[in-house]
Amino acid sequence: MSAQPRMAIGRTVIALVLFSLSIAGVGAGPATNTDIPAPLSYKADWRWVKGAVFVPTKYVNEAQQWDEYDPVINDRELHYASVYGFNCVRVYLHYYIYLKKKDALLKDIEDFLTRADKYSIKTEFVFFDDCWNQPEAALLAPDYKYPAPIVGVHNSRWLVCPGEQVQKHYAENRDRLKAYIQDIVNAHRDDKRIAFWETYNEPNQSPETKQLLKDAYDWIHETGTTIPVTATGRGFAGEPYSDFKSWHEYGGYDYTGTPDSLNTECMNRREQTVPGIVEHFKDKTGFIVWEFGIGRDNCRFTWDENREHPRKDETPKPFHGFVYPDGHPWSVDDVKALLGAKGFANAPLFAVEYYKNANFAELAKKSVTPVIDFDLGTERGTGSPDASAGVPEENFSVRWTGTILPSASGTYTFYADGDNRVMLFVNSKLLLNKKTPGREEVAATIPLPGNQAAEIKIEYVHATGDPTLHVAWSGPGFDKKVLTPVKAASAP
């Protein structure tokens, strides 16, 4: 998450009685000895990994990611990741969500793995984490409402897992912590969709953390899983409790590791770039960037933009993050670095232009996107499709162009579901023209020859409220689905 000192920001003091009633585990025996390190026994070549930490952009933290699991946004953003060249995602779990809704969590993990596998993306799961804010017992309530991100504050709502209260009363919680790990691992003991298990992100050197590290490592191996285990090393406490070495690299480009070790976090735009990371680790080992989405977890702000020193304006350069909620990257150069020149030239992308006004007159940015399929809110930074480029939250316009390829001759229907004005052109012919404000879906048909490219242009004007646009089509042999291009008409 960062190589910076831990920040126990806004810790919630939880009454012991309330906490014990909420999450105390069944009684456990004496703790095991943490002085006997597990051997580094697993050998593999991790150079294939081009990964990213995956938190869908609508969530403030990893607990909300699972507590309010949304198959649609997970599928949408996994699709983005696959088009842009990522083949692995690092996904955080949270112990409290297991306590709160175990059966739903297990079901949602399976759903997520199925969707990631559909896009040829491997997954690794992180069970525990020593970074940022302490979880509050109220999170366990069925009607818990996640707070909004704190304006200008990096990672403002991210949660420690399992939290200091659980570790302080470890004996009472040990059996349930074991069940948390083993229920998940047993469901996926030999699952080829999972690259590896990660017991602990950036574990500190405290006796309590080392005890959980050792136990978690043993609990996973007790299941007989064939999937290897790691925890962050190189300055953190995880290496003795790992099957292979993993580490984080935020200090420029000083360390590359070896093919049988893996960098599981890197990339901050104060000292690194995505192209720089790709080049740095090329042919040496794999890497996982923090993070894929530029969203409500606020990692676009820097580590030192915290509660004591929040940023007053919107950052022009996201500290972390690759892609905005509408699917376009912060930098097209990031995409080119991951895909390579040939891969980028053949990528199924729309070209997109963002304007700072409502009449396509003041260009803010040119980019690309795999689809036109988004719902934005009104929060600062995520209410605009690209606040870093100066696109406002209200009264902006966007134009997409690209090429589609009908698979067979026949009648095709195009759909536009948007909150304001939308025009859709096929081969320069105006097919859809939504003129009225307010969200509404409009549709129209057109005959198209099969296996003959058609040029698409969509123009969208947003006024006020939540920006929303979903463009889809249906035709011979397929039902309504999101419109995807075969290549950009003119990518920057």
Side-chain angles (χ1 to χ4, degrees), residues 51-53 55 57 77 80-86 267 269 273-275 278 287 289-295 297 299-300 318-339 344 349 365 367-368 370 386 388:
V53 172
V55 184
T57 53
E77 297 190 2
Y80 296 164
S82 68
V83 172
Y84 289 136
F86 290 98
M267 212 292 289
R269 291 192 177 91
T273 64
V274 172
V278 171
F287 60 86
V289 299
W290 188 290
E291 63 187 310
F292 183 65
I294 303 171
D297 67 6
C299 287
R300 65 187 184 277
F319 184 67
H320 293 312
F322 185 92
V323 68
Y324 286 97
D326 76 332
H328 83 280
W330 176 72
S331 172
V332 174
D333 288 340
D334 293 352
V335 181
K336 292 177 179 178
L338 283 163
L339 292 176
F344 179 76
L349 296 166
K365 185 174 186 176
S367 190
V368 294
D386 195 324
S388 69

Side-chain angles (χ1 to χ4, degrees), residues 261-432:
S261 66
L262 179 62
N263 172 269
T264 53
E265 273 188 35
C266 58
M267 212 292 289
N268 74 89
R269 291 192 177 91
R270 179 178 286 167
E271 299 183 61
Q272 300 168 325
T273 64
V274 172
I277 289 294
V278 171
E279 183 61 30
H280 176 61
F281 289 110
K282 184 179 180 181
D283 299 326
K284 299 178 181 71
T285 191
F287 60 86
I288 297 174
V289 299
W290 188 290
E291 63 187 310
F292 183 65
I294 303 171
R296 298 182 73 235
D297 67 6
N298 274 14
C299 287
R300 65 187 184 277
F301 300 109
T302 65
W303 291 313
D304 50 6
E305 289 167 343
N306 53 42
R307 296 193 190 200
E308 288 71 40
H309 305 94
R311 188 181 180 102
K312 302 301 183 183
D313 61 345
E314 190 57 40
T315 177
K317 180 189 292 186
F319 184 67
H320 293 312
F322 185 92
V323 68
Y324 286 97
D326 76 332
H328 83 280
W330 176 72
S331 172
V332 174
D333 288 340
D334 293 352
V335 181
K336 292 177 179 178
L338 283 163
L339 292 176
K342 184 176 180 180
F344 179 76
N346 294 317
L349 296 166
F350 289 105
V352 55
E353 298 172 343
Y354 296 93
Y355 293 85
K356 296 181 181 181
N357 52 26
N359 59 356
F360 304 93
E362 188 178 352
L363 181 66
K365 185 174 186 176
K366 292 184 177 182
S367 190
V368 294
T369 187
V371 291
I372 306 162
D373 185 37
F374 60 85
D375 299 288
L376 307 180
T378 56
E379 286 178 348
R380 195 190 100 177
T382 57
S384 159
D386 195 324
S388 69
V391 181
E393 294 172 9
E394 298 181 345
N395 300 308
F396 63 82
S397 50
V398 189
R399 177 184 291 121
W400 296 266
T401 54
T403 303
I404 61 169
L405 187 65
S407 57
S409 297
T411 298
Y412 289 80
T413 304
F414 290 81
Y415 310 82
D417 176 5
D419 65 276
N420 198 45
R421 291 168 46 203
V422 184
M423 293 190 293
L424 186 149
F425 301 81
V426 180
N427 291 330
S428 300
K429 177 184 177 179
L430 179 61
L431 183 65
L432 292 176

Side-chain angles (χ1 to χ4, degrees), residues 246-262:
S246 62
W247 83 99
H248 295 171
E249 180 60 56
Y250 285 117
Y253 304 104
D254 297 330
Y255 185 73
T256 57
T258 56
D260 60 353
S261 66
L262 179 62

Side-chain angles (χ1 to χ4, degrees), residues 75-186:
D75 196 282
R76 181 187 301 163
E77 297 190 2
L78 285 166
H79 175 217
Y80 296 164
S82 68
V83 172
Y84 289 136
F86 290 98
N87 59 19
C88 186
V89 287
R90 184 173 187 247
V91 180
Y92 284 76
L93 303 170
H94 203 284
Y95 176 57
Y96 276 40
I97 306 308
Y98 171 83
L99 296 178
K100 183 176 183 176
K101 49 195 308 184
K102 178 185 77 172
D103 292 342
L105 176 62
L106 294 174
K107 180 181 177 182
D108 292 340
I109 287 172
E110 173 59 33
D111 181 87
F112 182 88
L113 287 168
T114 299
R115 294 176 189 280
D117 186 60
K118 178 175 68 173
Y119 297 114
S120 300
I121 293 174
K122 300 286 188 183
T123 301
E124 66 108 333
F125 289 114
V126 183
F127 289 98
F128 301 117
D129 185 9
D130 265 349
C131 294
W132 302 97
N133 307 291
Q134 293 295 324
E136 57 180 354
L139 194 157
L140 293 162
D143 59 349
Y144 179 77
K145 302 298 183 185
Y146 286 84
I150 302 172
V151 174
V153 174
H154 174 90
N155 223 344
S156 64
R157 300 297 185 184
W158 195 267
L159 297 177
V160 170
C161 180
E164 62 184 14
Q165 289 294 330
V166 174
Q167 290 185 280
K168 188 181 295 183
H169 305 282
Y170 189 68
E172 298 98 300
N173 288 284
R174 185 173 181 272
D175 283 357
R176 194 165 293 185
L177 288 162
K178 179 178 181 179
Y180 161 59
I181 284 185
Q182 291 195 337
D183 282 351
I184 293 170
V185 175
N186 276 322

